Amino acid sequence: MEYPKILLGLIGVSVLLLVVSFLGKRAELFLNLVLRSVFGRILICFINWGLGMLGLAVTVGINAATVLTAGILGFPGILALYGLVVYRML
């Protein structure tokens, strides 16, 4: 009777470790997305401010789409946003 209890305990611990490791990866990915979105938004604000100081009317608006683009793609996404704004101006 002891053997099935030990086996069930080992299976339970193994499943628990798998779930924790899976959620840990998900949490890491989510935290990465949030941090990149926050820093991307800050960078867009600084770039908009810098271009405004230079007298250039190239600004990217701050909204959910631009923040998620910066969060998912990072710095290349920010460059793509400014590229779209410049292309729209042509």
Side-chain angles (χ1 to χ4, degrees):
M1 213 51 169
E2 282 296 313
Y3 183 72
K5 287 182 182 180
I6 293 173
L7 185 61
L8 285 176
L10 287 175
I11 291 173
V13 169
S14 298
V15 168
L16 181 65
L17 287 175
L18 283 173
V19 168
V20 167
S21 68
F22 178 72
L23 291 177
K25 280 289 190 187
R26 288 287 188 186
E28 180 182 343
L29 290 174
F30 180 71
L31 181 64
N32 187 13
L33 175 69
V34 169
L35 288 176
R36 286 171 61 162
S37 297
V38 168
F39 288 124
R41 185 200 183 284
I42 292 169
L43 185 61
I44 289 172
C45 287
F46 279 130
I47 292 173
N48 284 345
W49 176 76
L51 291 175
M53 294 295 286
L54 293 174
L56 299 172
V58 179
T59 59
V60 170
I62 304 293
N63 56 36
T66 58
V67 171
L68 281 176
T69 301
I72 293 170
L73 298 177
F75 188 69
I78 294 171
L79 291 178
L81 290 170
Y82 280 98
L84 287 171
V85 170
V86 170
Y87 179 74
R88 191 176 64 186
M89 288 175 49
L90 296 178

